[in-house]
Amino acid sequence: MIEVRRADERHRGGDPEAGIDSRHAFSFGPHYDPDNLRFGALIACNEERLAPGAGFAEHPHSHTEIVTWVTEGELTHRDSTGRASVIRPGDVQHLSAAAGVRHSERNEGAEPLAFVQMWLAPPDSGGEPSYEVVRDLAAPYAVPGAGASLRVLRPAAGERTALPDAPLLYVHVVRGEVRLADGTPGSGDTLGSGDTLGPGDSARITGARGLELAGVTEAEVLLWQMEPVSP
């Protein structure tokens, strides 16, 4: 089953007067939607834009795996364990909040900052917070605590990339346009014009088998592979 969600269906948040523009794919904060709380372990996929000097002051998290992908500019991160880092396009940042951590995120550069931040809920609580930055991500990035892994796909126009067979896949288009396609040998069929995805669009796929991602234009796509969440 494939459920497509469009960019214009996202909940709009943030604080425009403070230079913060947020778009939420799931129920988030005051935008409560009981029918859109999560997909597998994924409970947030936020598109964030911060003007120079803008940011999120120090705030707490717990029992959450936070993965951030910067698309433009530089993100400065600091947390209560004393860590500080600057995240740039191509890097993956992973903060495991565990039993609790506080952090801040700011645009301390001269150019606008854009990033996608994804939250996953692990099945177990507690533990010590941890932090990692992978520079220039090339291989799938595993988040074992949430039974998930992240891949970055960059198909060229006309290029088809096989998607893994998996119980749950979440596709988020960062830039460009793609289509979901039938990967059966000899098949050139896409899965219908309604499955053409553009920037900010996503697809929630259950029981993925024999699918491909076809580039309509040159594109960048975030792909989560997940196991089902136990009741």
Side-chain angles (χ1 to χ4, degrees):
M1 183 177 72
I2 300 174
E3 179 185 1
V4 172
R5 298 265 182 152
R6 300 297 178 184
D8 60 8
E9 297 179 65
R10 288 174 170 264
H11 302 298
R12 185 139 187 197
D15 184 352
E17 292 186 1
I20 302 172
D21 182 20
S22 303
R23 309 293 173 94
H24 306 297
F26 293 87
S27 181
F28 196 91
H31 304 288
Y32 179 66
D33 180 354
D35 296 322
N36 187 28
L37 298 177
R38 66 190 299 162
F39 181 71
L42 195 63
I43 58 173
C45 181
N46 302 336
E47 294 182 324
E48 306 283 1
R49 297 192 68 86
L50 302 182
F56 301 102
E58 187 175 271
H59 57 281
H61 286 282
S62 64
H63 191 50
T64 311
E65 306 289 334
I66 303 171
V67 179
T68 304
W69 177 258
V70 173
T71 60
E72 300 174 28
E74 297 182 345
L75 171 65
T76 298
H77 167 274
R78 296 181 178 88
D79 66 43
S80 54
T81 68
R83 300 180 183 92
S85 58
V86 177
I87 315 304
R88 300 177 177 87
D91 301 338
V92 163
Q93 175 188 255
H94 176 203
L95 173 63
S96 181
V101 69
R102 299 181 65 86
H103 77 149
S104 65
E105 299 158 299
R106 301 195 63 84
N107 179 6
E108 297 184 356
E111 302 297 326
L113 164 66
F115 61 95
V116 181
Q117 188 167 92
M118 298 150 285
W119 299 5
L120 299 98
D124 301 316
S125 59
E128 292 295 320
S130 62
Y131 182 77
E132 182 179 29
V133 177
V134 178
R135 305 291 183 185
D136 301 318
L137 182 73
Y141 182 78
V143 184
S149 65
L150 174 67
R151 302 183 189 192
V152 180
L153 306 178
R154 297 187 178 93
E159 181 182 0
R160 293 164 71 106
T161 301
L163 299 182
D165 293 345
L168 300 174
L169 296 178
Y170 184 85
V171 175
H172 171 83
V173 181
V174 175
R175 55 174 60 91
E177 292 186 347
V178 298
R179 286 184 180 174
L180 296 170
D182 181 354
T184 304
S187 172
D189 295 335
T190 61
L191 300 180
S193 59
D195 292 319
T196 299
L197 307 175
D201 291 346
S202 63
R204 306 174 190 191
I205 306 172
T206 303
R209 293 291 183 273
L211 297 181
E212 291 183 339
L213 192 78
V216 177
T217 66
E218 184 177 351
E220 181 175 272
V221 174
L222 303 178
L223 173 68
W224 281 103
Q225 179 177 345
M226 297 175 283
E227 296 298 321
V229 174
S230 300

